[in-house]
Amino acid sequence: MLTLAGQTFRSRWTAFVGTFVALCLGVCLLATTGLTLAASVTGTDRAAQWYRNADVVLTGPKAISVSTGTGDERYTSTTGTAYSRPVPAELVARLGAVPGVASAVPDRQVPVDLAGTAGIARPWSAAALGGYGPLSGRPPTVDGEVVSTSPGGHRPGDRIPVQTPDGPRTFTVSGVLAPVSGAADEDAPALAFLTDRTAAALAGDRITAVALRAGDGISAGTLAERVRAAAPGFRVLTGDERRAAEPDPDGDELAIAASLLGTTAGVATFVSVFVVAGTFSFAVAQRRREFALLRTTGATPRQIRRLVLGEAVLVGVLAGLAGSALSLVTAPPYAHWLARSGFAPENFTARFILWPLLAASGVGLLVALLGAGVAARRAARVRPVEALREASVDTRVMGWGRWLFGLLFLGGAVLLLTALPEIGVSDGLAMIMLVAQLALAAAGLLAPVLIRVLVPLLGAPLRGQTGMLARSNALSALRRTSATATPILVTVGIAATTLPLTATLWQAEQRSARERVTAGAVATASGPVGLAEPTVAALGRVAGVRAAVPSRSGEVYVRSDDYAEEYSARYVGAGLDRVLRLPVVAGSVDGLTGTDTVAVSRSMGWRVGDRVQVWLADTTEVRLRVVAVLADSIDLDRTLLLPWELGRAHQPGGGADVVYLDGGDPAALDAAAVAGGGRVLPTAEHLVVGDAVQYERNRVALLAVLGMALLYTGIAIANTLVMATNDRRRELAVLRLTGATPGQVLRMIGLEAVLVGLAGTALAALVAAAMLAGLRARLAELVAHPQISVPWLPITLIAAGCLLAAVLASLVPTVLALRTPAAQLAGVRE
């Protein structure tokens, strides 16, 4: 049968063009997202720059480990964190006494704003560790002096304003360092080398890393082993690993890109699997007459299955190779678009990596085998006596498998939908996509049942013989109708579910946040440092100010069963209830003081007085006492409110993201904020600006996730309908021989295409309506009078585009087929 599969493939290669196109483009879609995802995960391969003259670098742990069980069944889960824990000062002294250590230099990294440019302040003693060449000028000798790096454009003697964690200061440039050739990173932040005493004061005595040099005759590896023994639990880095102790200028953007591309890869996998499996199943169903004849000539069901699977392997291998090669052309432009959109570093690109290509080709081949195998089993089960009748009429389209998995997917979508408001848009984009995929998969599996109802309703307005034929053809050939409607369902459904779900959730979040803020004005930072505490104090001293409450966002980790789960955190100052309307149901936010208190949402399951185990962003473990419990709300869910003093103790380098202001003269407030590197806006204007920025970011993120998938499904619509129309050439010839004119045939085919397109769109609309109704019911528990937001324009354009593609893909091959005389067309080989 494998030999026969090769022979049928060579003799009937045109019959496999549709499945080849679907699989080739599906593999290309998977490989394109895989290549860009791999590029974002692998990150930079640059060598260490700051510590190139250090043999070993020690820095704090950057992960949280949670252990469960005992003995041989003990299991440890590790969760990476945003920052590393500071190095204790006493450890530096111990490291200096380790045998073989020639010097131990503590390094501190403090975010600053150098005359409007994001930078990092470090002690002058760290300048000799590497990355910079000769000094033009002299080292800093007093607290008001700074040595800057040459990209800043400063010269010795210049006085430059610097926003620091201790407030605005003016420094005198004593010298300028030029980078060593090939060592400087264009995207790296500017550096300001201060006296060791000034850097330590700005860092709050926090030590970021310790650079160690080995004595004569001691290798870096030997020294590293000795340091690990002296400092267990800390990271000891050598070679290129030393760059892990340096700021990664692309780290945040690569993390965003990896997260976004992970969601994109999930959507790409879903649509490609859905389309490829459906296309292969439809292609096999088109050949039922051929399989029927093979059965009547003595072929066994096993031989039929082997024949179909052999053909699927041949198509899968060829399409996998072609799709992988095509992805090498499409992946770099997609990566560049991500960079231009702000979701990846400026120099981000996709390059040849073997494993994404192998994975995409493997998935494509597996899906081809599954799609062809399921259809082949159905065709092979026909008994020889019934074979010809089975090949001509669709009798039993819905099997138990379609019912089972359709209902399972539907139930999964409903369950996940109820959890969406607890996650929100920023963290729940992947969940939104998963809900949409499950719902659309359920609709696709149950499509034959739904189409039996939709086609008569949608076709009721059709009059005349052509309308009647179009309606009856769609109903009698349910396999064909379902197969051609499914790509439309997926294309329109993805847009009609994800866009409204995202817009509705985002609008609910913004509305809740708007209603929560009672402050009259908000001060925001314009640079990376934030508003330093002296600036916050200056805002509070403005005449008429009743409250100036700083707030800074971050993340914390809370133990959930056997791992540390990430939660949002907001460090807030005293007087929070004066500027925010908080839904306190137990306790009081007035108790949110000191360094050991926390306010939580009711859904977290804690009560006032409970002690909560929390890890901060720098892996520091703290136990906090619950002083207030808040009612569940969409904008504060999964958020811990922490006292400002706790953030000051563990992240002294970070200022306030915003300062909520109650009272005070706007001009005086703005003057105080500008002096500290910020600005003051009325609350309404601040929220509008923030909403616009977030909305645009959400829009571009959705475009990145859905763009290529929608393009692929759009092509799949045309591909499937071309396959279906080409298979009906003899049917068209029979209509011509019975007296139908070419115009009547074209009208029938066109009306049937419109009917199928409307059926697919209606299925998508039903899914979207059900999802939005469920989301609204869940939101009603969290937001008063929730509103559904539907971006009609893009959804309508996508639906219209699908309908146009369906009509054109049906009419064009019909026109070509009608050029052949009817008698000749009726005698073509199937």
Side-chain angles (χ1 to χ4, degrees), residues 545-570:
V545 171
R546 293 180 292 273
V549 182
S551 174
R552 181 171 72 245
S553 299
E555 57 276 330
V556 294
Y557 303 85
V558 179
R559 181 164 181 165
S560 176
D561 295 329
D562 56 354
Y563 69 100
E565 185 175 1
E566 182 176 336
Y567 281 73
S568 298
R570 291 179 67 177

Side-chain angles (χ1 to χ4, degrees), residues 429-687:
L429 182 59
M431 181 74 79
I432 292 173
M433 297 300 171
L434 181 57
V435 170
Q437 291 165 20
L438 289 174
L440 293 173
L445 290 170
L446 301 176
V449 176
L450 300 173
I451 284 175
R452 287 183 188 273
V453 179
L454 289 174
V455 168
L457 292 175
L458 296 171
L462 299 180
R463 295 292 183 265
Q465 292 181 342
T466 55
M468 180 191 67
L469 284 175
R471 186 170 60 247
S472 61
N473 284 339
L475 279 174
S476 60
L478 277 178
R479 292 189 192 278
R480 183 178 67 215
T481 304
S482 299
T484 51
T486 295
I488 300 174
L489 162 67
V490 173
T491 307
V492 179
I494 286 179
T497 53
T498 56
L499 294 180
L501 286 174
T502 303
T504 299
L505 272 177
W506 179 78
Q507 187 181 76
E509 288 181 2
Q510 300 308 310
R511 182 182 174 189
S512 180
R514 285 170 180 267
E515 294 176 349
R516 190 168 311 288
V517 180
T518 59
V522 177
T524 59
S526 56
V529 182
L531 297 173
E533 292 196 32
T535 302
V536 176
L539 289 168
R541 289 194 297 268
V542 172
V545 171
R546 293 180 292 273
V549 182
S551 174
R552 181 171 72 245
S553 299
E555 57 276 330
V556 294
Y557 303 85
V558 179
R559 181 164 181 165
S560 176
D561 295 329
D562 56 354
Y563 69 100
E565 185 175 1
E566 182 176 336
Y567 281 73
S568 298
R570 291 179 67 177
Y571 295 93
V572 293
L576 190 63
D577 55 344
R578 299 180 185 177
V579 294
L580 294 180
R581 187 181 294 109
L582 296 173
V584 179
V585 296
S588 172
V589 292
D590 289 339
L592 205 59
T593 58
T595 58
D596 64 345
T597 57
V598 64
V600 300
S601 297
R602 181 167 49 191
S603 60
M604 297 179 184
W606 297 313
R607 295 178 296 181
V608 173
D610 288 349
R611 285 284 178 176
V612 181
Q613 183 182 20
V614 175
W615 289 270
L616 304 181
D618 65 352
T619 77
T620 301
E621 181 181 353
V622 294
R623 296 192 67 85
L624 306 177
R625 177 172 51 87
V626 177
V627 297
V629 176
L630 310 179
D632 296 339
S633 58
I634 191 170
D635 62 318
L636 290 178
D637 198 75
R638 295 179 60 83
T639 299
L640 277 67
L641 298 182
L642 302 170
W644 186 257
E645 290 79 4
L646 181 64
R648 179 192 300 165
H650 291 277
Q651 295 179 1
D657 298 330
V658 298
V659 179
Y660 297 105
L661 301 166
D662 180 21
D665 177 61
L669 288 172
D670 192 58
V674 169
R679 63 173 182 169
V680 172
L681 293 174
T683 299
E685 184 178 347
H686 165 73
L687 292 174

Side-chain angles (χ1 to χ4, degrees), residues 239-255:
D240 287 345
E241 293 180 348
R242 294 170 295 178
R243 68 172 179 265
E246 305 173 1
D248 185 357
D250 299 334
D252 291 341
E253 290 180 324
L254 285 175

Side-chain angles (χ1 to χ4, degrees), residues 46-53 131 183 239-244 246:
R46 64 178 176 83
Q49 298 177 17
W50 289 7
Y51 301 113
R52 60 166 47 190
N53 294 334
D240 287 345
E241 293 180 348
R242 294 170 295 178
R243 68 172 179 265
E246 305 173 1

Side-chain angles (χ1 to χ4, degrees), residues 172-183:
T172 300
V173 178
S174 64
V176 177
L177 279 175
V180 174
S181 177

